[in-house]
Amino acid sequence: MKTARRVKRPTLKQLAEAAGVSIGTASNILNNKSGLHSPETVERVLTAAHRLGYRPNRVARSLAARRTHTIGIVMEPQHAIFTRNHYATAVLDGVVEALAPRNYHLKIITLNDLDPRTLWTQLDDGTVDGLLLIVPLMGSPLLEYHQHTHLPCVVVGSTLPKSLGFYCVDSANEPMMRLLVNWLLEQGHRRIGFIKGPDNQWSAHQRLKAYIETMADWGIEAPPDWIAPSNYEYSGGFAEATQLLQVRPRLTAIVGSNDLLALGALDACAQHGVRVPRDVSVVGFDDIPMAALAKPPLTTIRNPIHDIGYAAADALLQQIETGAPLQGNCLMEGELIVRESAAPPQSRKA
Amino acid sequence: MKTARRVKRPTLKQLAEAAGVSIGTASNILNNKSGLHSPETVERVLTAAHRLGYRPNRVARSLAARRTHTIGIVMEPQHAIFTRNHYATAVLDGVVEALAPRNYHLKIITLNDLDPRTLWTQLDDGTVDGLLLIVPLMGSPLLEYHQHTHLPCVVVGSTLPKSLGFYCVDSANEPMMRLLVNWLLEQGHRRIGFIKGPDNQWSAHQRLKAYIETMADWGIEAPPDWIAPSNYEYSGGFAEATQLLQVRPRLTAIVGSNDLLALGALDACAQHGVRVPRDVSVVGFDDIPMAALAKPPLTTIRNPIHDIGYAAADALLQQIETGAPLQGNCLMEGELIVRESAAPPQSRKA
DNA sequence: ATGAAAGCGCTAACAT
DNA sequence: ATGTTAGCGCTTTCAT
């Protein structure tokens, strides 16, 4: 029975000694910069590494190479709860998927607050090669990014004004919302209500704009009481739909500008004895997992969030590795998912 | 207009020079090891740091101090999809919450596979001070942990056999399932079916055991066809409930050993015209967000997953900082959440 | 109270 | 093809 205690992990130096080569040679071989090395030397080093149980110290490597092979993902503090943030969770999945095969690592950066005195020290601390900013909000200190750091950066889930200088990967909010509203109009709906997301999110404004413009395309000017400002949450959808149900003459359809809002609207309808889709159609935006399980199953637009996360990570790595800043934005579309919560409006027996 | 380009971030050395102190002094002051330093020196260093925009390089600090202030969270490869893994997501939230105020950082470690040749090099690479193992499975190479590394470690979501030598933070699966089944029995149910989780998860065995024993306490020996092996997923619940609905004489209640199974069961009932809870009661385990929104809302047990994540991170940090291995396990309970998917059995008009 | 100096474990440029 | 050496930016003794 061996009682040898390996107090410390072997270092490259020890490995080199054990293999009878120089430390530089050992380093090269372990980093696959061979082809320049005799097969037997390679063999000797690899064998010794295995025998000693050598494991490279990535921290030392990062310091010397000035590359950490790690990226950070940054959220607004109030959004940093994954169980209540399907968007961030799905982005995370996409990022993880993009990183794994490229052997990059991922750091979740959780900010307690966005105090500008400490913010940039936390973000730019040498531990990451680049940053993914998840749905930065209007007015966020994060938008001053380029004044404070030169770390490569990609914005996810907000399509920012060009002037801010970020490369953004996001849903094509306007085309997608147009598609959705257009479809409702084609189904025969004219009196369509809209529950809007929070004022500090770009996507909320973009989706609302698309709704208004699409209605206008059909010659309809939506009055203020058809548009309910809310917050992208179930409870908001429930509350606002309750209001929209009071509009007279009645609305025949309600657009939740995300699925959570629509799900809340669905339950508000059920609670008030309004049948969906017979009395009113309800549609959402995102196609979160719960949408398909709703009663009735929710008609919505698939938001390719996972792919957005993947593409964003991909773009960031490219920027890190080429050093070239990315141009323009990447806006991804998603198709309409027709389920059972929407149908052509019934002619009503008044 | 300044056109100065800061090509490189200032280093501690430059800061020290600028402040006219030695590098060691500057280091001490920045790390709040003052009290040993004259106020004016402190002042000079801090001012210089601010003026230069000095930001400590955490990588260098980690190398020198041999502490990274980072922990890693490790999942089985097939579970590393957060959008399909509410458990891991909720644990993540708890961990994030525990880490933030302590100024620890978090690395998500995504393994493509558990190949033992590369596994430990990936886990023990010097970038983390400790590891959180999320729901390791029976037979997983991760269980050989202590043979391969001495990194501090805490297991989350699996209560492992003592012999494996891990400190585990987990739900108190047996007491909680006992509570649930007991309640059903108290409601008058006797013919209670059970949908079991996957064979490679300890929790599945523990929950089943509690079901069987609680039934036995009431003098009931559940026959094999009351127990449906499945996989903790919605689709499994749907399929197995469909089978359980065929059992004759009829079951009056079905226990999904997690909420997803119960949700599937709920929909299977709806699909087959079986009314819940009138014809059959359905209960779950976990209280995931969807449970409350189900139709009817699901009666279940609250699984304090977030708190488990928090406690696990807390335990790990303690172990890292004291160096003392933790003793025993930490099993957390959760209360019964009575909603509308379960009711006393109806006497049936045959 | 402050400074000097020796690493931490590795990469990369250069020399041979 | 291999060895030597100078850092990477910081912490931490040990002197003073």
Side-chain angles (χ1 to χ4, degrees):
Chain A
M1 203 184 295
K2 281 197 248 173
T3 48
R5 284 183 63 197
R6 184 174 298 134
V7 173
K8 289 195 144 208
R9 289 162 38 180
T11 68
L12 187 56
K13 192 174 167 198
Q14 291 165 17
L15 169 61
E17 278 167 11
V21 300
S22 78
I23 183 174
T25 301
S27 173
N28 281 336
I29 289 174
L30 290 174
N31 291 306
N32 288 320
K33 288 178 187 156
S34 45
L36 246 24
H37 289 282
S38 82
E40 63 173 15
T41 310
V42 172
E43 172 69 13
R44 236 173 340 135
V45 170
L46 262 25
T47 308
H50 186 256
R51 183 162 45 80
L52 295 184
Y54 172 73
R55 292 181 198 145
N57 181 328
R58 246 182 206 279
V59 172
R61 185 198 299 245
S62 295
L63 181 60
R66 264 146 297 180
R67 284 285 306 283
T68 64
H69 260 73
T70 300
I71 68 168
I73 163 167
V74 183
M75 284 161 292
E76 300 281 343
Q78 69 267 42
H79 289 168
I81 301 177
F82 288 97
T83 38
R84 288 187 204 156
N85 189 343
H86 175 79
Y87 194 93
T89 309
V91 166
L92 181 59
D93 279 340
V95 171
V96 161
E97 193 180 324
L99 259 34
R102 311 252 233 131
N103 201 27
Y104 263 78
H105 296 209
L106 179 62
K107 182 178 166 187
I108 305 279
I109 301 180
T110 58
L111 274 2
N112 288 317
D113 57 79
L114 260 30
D115 183 346
R117 282 176 314 203
T118 60
L119 180 58
W120 309 105
T121 309
Q122 290 184 63
L123 294 184
D124 186 4
D125 64 358
T127 63
V128 294
D129 292 338
L131 251 22
L132 247 24
L133 266 31
I134 310 299
V135 195
L137 300 175
M138 289 175 164
S140 170
L142 287 172
L143 302 177
E144 298 164 16
Y145 191 89
H146 295 112
Q147 301 168 27
H148 292 95
T149 169
H150 294 115
L151 270 182
C153 166
V154 166
V155 162
V156 186
S158 293
T159 309
L160 306 181
K162 281 260 190 305
S163 60
L164 292 173
F166 289 96
Y167 179 80
C168 305
V169 182
D170 194 7
S171 328
N173 285 303
E174 296 193 23
M176 284 159 72
M177 183 54 85
R178 276 208 160 76
L179 179 61
L180 182 61
V181 176
N182 236 314
W183 179 80
L184 242 21
L185 287 157
E186 282 165 8
Q187 298 289 304
H189 293 279
R190 292 297 176 270
R191 307 184 52 77
I192 303 173
F194 186 91
I195 311 180
K196 177 180 176 290
D199 276 330
N200 61 355
Q201 290 207 213
W202 270 279
S203 70
H205 292 271
Q206 289 153 354
R207 291 176 195 178
L208 174 63
K209 175 164 177 276
Y211 157 77
I212 290 175
E213 291 181 355
T214 309
M215 294 291 274
D217 289 346
W218 290 61
I220 304 167
E221 187 178 348
D225 66 341
W226 291 13
I227 299 174
S230 190
N231 58 5
Y232 279 162
E233 314 251 329
Y234 173 91
S235 56
F238 192 97
E240 297 308 324
T242 302
Q243 295 303 311
L244 290 178
L245 256 15
Q246 313 300 317
V247 172
R248 294 293 176 275
R250 289 191 153 80
L251 299 172
T252 65
I254 294 176
V255 177
S257 59
N258 77 353
D259 280 354
L260 245 25
L261 287 171
L263 257 18
L266 234 35
D267 282 358
C269 291
Q271 170 126 343
H272 294 86
V274 175
R275 291 157 301 180
V276 177
R278 196 180 191 288
D279 301 332
V280 63
S281 289
V282 173
V283 299
F285 191 111
D286 276 350
D287 195 26
I288 63 177
M290 272 169 59
L293 301 181
K295 308 292 178 292
L298 188 68
T299 290
T300 187
I301 292 267
R302 198 182 81 84
N303 195 353
I305 312 176
H306 176 281
D307 298 350
I308 287 171
Y310 189 98
D314 209 55
L316 181 60
L317 297 200
Q318 192 182 318
Q319 190 177 337
I320 289 169
E321 288 172 2
T322 68
L326 275 355
Q327 300 299 327
N329 290 328
C330 169
L331 300 184
M332 309 189 66
E333 311 226 359
E335 72 277 23
L336 183 72
I337 308 288
V338 177
R339 285 196 274 249
E340 296 162 35
S341 67
Q346 303 289 312
S347 44
R348 208 175 286 272
K349 314 153 197 169
Chain B
M1 201 184 291
K2 283 197 245 171
T3 48
R5 284 184 63 198
R6 185 173 296 134
V7 172
K8 288 195 144 210
R9 289 163 37 181
T11 67
L12 186 57
K13 192 175 165 196
Q14 291 164 18
L15 168 62
E17 278 167 12
V21 300
S22 79
I23 183 174
T25 301
S27 173
N28 280 336
I29 290 175
L30 290 175
N31 291 306
N32 289 322
K33 286 176 189 157
S34 45
L36 245 25
H37 289 282
S38 81
E40 61 173 17
T41 311
V42 171
E43 172 69 12
R44 234 171 344 132
V45 169
L46 261 25
T47 308
H50 186 254
R51 183 161 46 80
L52 296 184
Y54 174 73
R55 291 181 198 145
N57 181 328
R58 243 181 209 278
V59 172
R61 184 198 299 244
S62 295
L63 181 60
R66 263 144 297 184
R67 284 286 305 283
T68 64
H69 260 73
T70 300
I71 68 167
I73 163 166
V74 183
M75 285 162 292
E76 301 280 342
Q78 68 267 39
H79 289 169
I81 302 179
F82 288 98
T83 39
R84 290 187 203 154
N85 189 343
H86 175 79
Y87 194 94
T89 308
V91 165
L92 181 59
D93 279 339
V95 170
V96 161
E97 192 179 326
L99 259 32
R102 312 254 233 130
N103 200 26
Y104 263 78
H105 296 208
L106 179 62
K107 182 178 164 186
I108 305 279
I109 302 180
T110 57
L111 274 1
N112 287 316
D113 57 78
L114 260 29
D115 183 345
R117 283 176 311 203
T118 61
L119 180 58
W120 309 103
T121 309
Q122 291 185 62
L123 295 184
D124 186 4
D125 63 359
T127 63
V128 294
D129 292 339
L131 253 19
L132 246 25
L133 266 30
I134 310 301
V135 195
L137 300 175
M138 289 175 164
S140 170
L142 288 172
L143 302 176
E144 296 164 17
Y145 189 90
H146 293 113
Q147 301 167 28
H148 292 95
T149 169
H150 294 116
L151 272 181
C153 167
V154 165
V155 163
V156 186
S158 293
T159 309
L160 305 181
K162 281 262 191 305
S163 59
L164 292 173
F166 290 95
Y167 179 79
C168 305
V169 181
D170 194 8
S171 329
N173 285 303
E174 299 198 24
M176 284 159 72
M177 183 54 84
R178 275 208 161 75
L179 179 61
L180 181 62
V181 176
N182 237 314
W183 179 80
L184 243 20
L185 287 157
E186 283 165 8
Q187 298 290 304
H189 292 280
R190 291 298 176 271
R191 308 182 51 75
I192 303 174
F194 187 92
I195 311 181
K196 177 181 174 289
D199 276 329
N200 62 354
Q201 290 208 212
W202 270 279
S203 70
H205 293 272
Q206 288 154 353
R207 292 175 194 178
L208 174 64
K209 175 164 177 277
Y211 156 78
I212 290 174
E213 291 180 357
T214 309
M215 294 290 275
D217 289 346
W218 290 61
I220 303 167
E221 187 179 347
D225 65 341
W226 291 13
I227 299 173
S230 191
N231 58 4
Y232 277 161
E233 313 253 331
Y234 173 90
S235 57
F238 191 97
E240 296 309 325
T242 302
Q243 295 302 311
L244 290 177
L245 255 15
Q246 312 300 318
V247 171
R248 293 294 178 277
R250 289 188 153 80
L251 299 172
T252 67
I254 294 176
V255 177
S257 59
N258 76 352
D259 280 354
L260 244 25
L261 287 171
L263 257 19
L266 234 36
D267 282 358
C269 290
Q271 169 125 343
H272 293 87
V274 175
R275 292 157 301 181
V276 176
R278 195 182 192 287
D279 299 333
V280 64
S281 289
V282 173
V283 299
F285 191 111
D286 276 349
D287 195 26
I288 63 177
M290 271 170 59
L293 301 181
K295 309 290 178 294
L298 189 67
T299 290
T300 187
I301 292 267
R302 197 182 82 84
N303 195 354
I305 312 175
H306 175 281
D307 298 350
I308 287 171
Y310 188 99
D314 209 55
L316 181 60
L317 296 200
Q318 192 182 318
Q319 191 177 336
I320 289 170
E321 286 171 3
T322 68
L326 276 356
Q327 300 299 328
N329 290 329
C330 168
L331 300 184
M332 309 189 66
E333 311 227 357
E335 72 276 24
L336 183 70
I337 308 288
V338 177
R339 287 196 274 248
E340 296 162 36
S341 67
Q346 304 289 312
S347 44
R348 209 174 284 274
K349 314 151 197 171

